[in-house]
Amino acid sequence: MSLRGRRRRRTRVLTVLVLGLLSAAGALGVATVAGPASASASASAGGALGVATVAGAGPASTSASGSTWSPPAGFAPVSVSTDGAAIAFDAGGDAAIAWLEPDGRAAARVRPAGRGFGPTATLSGAKAPVYGAPLAAVDPRGDATVLWISEIAGRNSYRTEVQAAAQPAGRSFGRPQTVFDQPGGATVSDAGLGVDDRGRATAFWIDAADDVVHVATRSAAGTAWSAPTTIANPADAAPSSPQYAVAANGDAVVAWGGARQGVYVSVRRGQRRFGPARLIDPDAFGGGLVAIDPRGEAILIWADCKTPECGTDTFLDYAVRRPGAAGFSAPQMLTPDSVDAIAATFDTRGDVTVAWSPAYPSLAATGQAGGVVAAVRPNGGSFGPVEILAPDPGEFMTACDDTRGNAYVAWRTESSTGTFSELSTTIPSTGRPVAPGQTISRNTATDQPFSGPSLACGKRGATAVWAANGPVGQHLDLTSTPGPA
């Protein structure tokens, strides 16, 4: 049985999803979904970044459903300490990729629709190393925004800044703007970025000085950022593992785990302010994952504890927010599995695909030995059967939907010998069978992936990017597919 039903209507939208992991690592990714990208390659002795796109020529990985991934191509040098790269598209096919250069500075390249990527723009200063990975977003006009956190050293102390740079369509990146300045040396972390279909950008971060989520907005590329505001939260809800999602209509959701247990959410409707934090489940463990569709329908997924000791005795619950609502539905169980990695994505009709990797094979709901599995919930309905995408466990999982309703899931897998491969699968919008997991990059003598993939979708197809190591050093690799025929 296929995970998807009848063919979806073709709708031109911009969706911003922030996806992450339910694991101790707590990785965060941001993606704007839009059209497929073509990639140019470059490398240097300092290392490089690789990106792969669907080209239709040369050796490639082909799925049972007809999706073909292009061979991985080197894209740019990258820092050995990178968590990967951020990739974003708009609905017209404009793209942006952001990463850390070998010297630790934030960099980006932008590709107008139908053209190649432009030159590398180094965005942050040499004396302000970037903390964590930069984030990227592209609005419907093709304006690109990159956000990062810099640590600026002084004579006897340092301060932390949230900074952003914008490139209006057809122009170059402007000077970095300071979104937030923490002069006291407190850590600023867990940044997020999203744009809506009006071009309004929203930035998120946590300041350790007050342990709350901060929010700033900007009306359009090149304009000033607003003064930061905070999301009110209860005394016992100091945020951990925050997740952010911004819809095309401006609705947004922030979710995080409490200081001890529990999962909290705050919702913004359109252009309003975020509401106060609401406790969704007091027994939640480790925060939650949130995804949102263009109309503002959202899903929150989290690990729940079966016993007071929690530990490995967890399962997945979920709750749904309908468009325009101030809160979420009552929790429901998604799977009795304990889970290592999870990703979720909406299509343009509001159907949601959730993929995960069971942590303990003996607990797998499918009766299989771990692996990567997925289930689809049609808009307003219940989740369908769990289906197997790959037999081996996955980590650093991410997902997106193109505007034709095809879902794409990408992840990293580790072999018994300790080598890594990047895999992906396609869940078509038609009644065709689910494509089995395809290897889009594997560890070889000349190319050794070491980060999880970042994935973005568009009008047709998907593009994945990850960090790898090779004779020329650390680099980004990129691949893409035009999706099912």
Side-chain angles (χ1 to χ4, degrees):
M1 180 184 297
S2 73
L3 287 170
R4 293 278 173 134
R6 62 184 183 276
R7 181 179 294 274
R8 307 292 185 247
R9 63 190 177 191
R10 300 183 183 181
T11 308
R12 209 173 155 85
V13 298
L14 173 69
T15 308
V16 181
L17 303 178
V18 181
L19 307 175
L21 307 176
L22 284 182
S23 69
L28 172 68
V30 181
T32 31
V33 294
S38 60
S40 57
S42 64
S44 75
L49 173 68
V51 181
T53 59
V54 178
S61 173
T62 304
S63 75
S65 66
S67 297
T68 301
W69 289 87
S70 67
F75 185 76
V78 68
S79 168
V80 68
S81 63
T82 189
D83 291 327
I87 180 171
F89 288 92
D90 71 5
D94 304 303
I97 296 177
W99 69 95
L100 289 184
E101 293 187 307
D103 62 2
R105 292 188 289 176
R109 293 175 68 184
V110 174
R111 189 209 70 179
R115 298 168 60 184
F117 277 94
T120 297
T122 299
L123 304 177
S124 59
K127 296 182 179 180
V130 174
Y131 175 79
L135 307 173
V138 183
D139 70 23
R141 293 188 292 265
D143 301 337
T145 300
V146 178
L147 184 85
W148 66 91
I149 299 173
S150 287
E151 292 184 345
I152 302 172
R155 178 170 297 180
N156 298 309
S157 62
Y158 72 93
R159 70 180 193 275
T160 308
E161 290 186 355
V162 179
Q163 296 183 312
Q167 177 175 313
R171 298 167 60 185
S172 300
F173 274 99
R175 294 176 60 86
Q177 297 172 289
T178 297
V179 183
F180 176 72
D181 185 357
Q182 169 48 268
T187 300
V188 176
S189 63
D190 297 289
L193 175 67
V195 295
D196 62 25
D197 60 6
R198 296 184 179 183
R200 185 174 77 153
T202 304
F204 309 88
W205 65 92
I206 292 177
D207 181 2
D210 54 17
D211 267 342
V212 296
V213 176
H214 292 241
V215 181
T217 60
R218 188 207 62 204
S219 60
T223 61
W225 288 84
S226 69
T229 59
T230 58
I231 297 176
N233 60 303
D236 64 343
S240 65
S241 303
Q243 298 282 289
Y244 317 101
V246 179
N249 69 352
D251 287 5
V253 175
V254 179
W256 66 89
R260 293 182 291 275
Q261 280 185 221
V263 63
Y264 297 80
V265 298
S266 175
V267 174
R268 182 183 73 191
R269 288 183 282 180
Q271 308 300 309
R272 304 177 187 178
R273 294 172 62 93
F274 279 91
R278 297 171 182 261
L279 177 63
I280 299 296
D281 184 349
D283 297 322
F285 176 73
L289 170 76
V290 63
I292 199 165
D293 82 353
R295 302 168 300 117
E297 175 148 346
I299 188 169
L300 173 67
I301 307 168
W302 66 94
D304 208 339
C305 295
K306 298 177 182 177
T307 64
E309 293 79 17
C310 209
T312 61
D313 295 325
T314 61
F315 55 93
L316 283 186
D317 275 354
Y318 75 95
V320 175
R321 183 245 184 189
R322 301 296 295 175
F328 281 74
S329 66
Q332 301 180 63
M333 182 185 289
L334 173 60
T335 174
D337 293 332
S338 293
V339 170
D340 270 342
I342 186 169
T345 176
F346 278 96
D347 69 12
T348 58
R349 294 175 61 91
D351 298 351
V352 62
T353 298
V354 180
W356 67 91
S357 184
Y360 302 99
S362 62
L363 301 178
T366 60
Q368 303 296 315
V372 176
V373 300
V376 172
R377 176 187 178 272
N379 189 358
S382 301
F383 276 97
V386 176
E387 299 210 21
I388 300 169
L389 304 184
D392 297 319
E395 58 182 356
F396 299 105
M397 192 174 294
T398 182
C400 63
D401 257 271
D402 66 22
T403 57
R404 301 190 304 169
N406 303 303
Y408 304 81
V409 184
W411 64 92
R412 186 178 78 168
T413 189
E414 183 177 4
S415 73
S416 59
T417 60
T419 60
F420 298 103
S421 297
E422 311 289 337
L423 283 84
S424 178
T425 194
T426 305
I427 303 171
S429 62
T430 66
R432 289 172 292 193
V434 175
Q438 311 152 52
T439 299
I440 56 179
S441 176
R442 70 165 43 88
N443 193 308
T444 67
T446 58
D447 199 62
Q448 302 161 18
F450 67 85
S451 80
S454 296
L455 185 69
C457 288
K459 186 167 56 177
R460 183 185 179 197
T463 297
V465 59
W466 61 90
N469 197 7
V472 297
Q474 291 72 43
H475 59 275
L476 290 180
D477 279 339
L478 177 142
T479 184
S480 68
T481 175

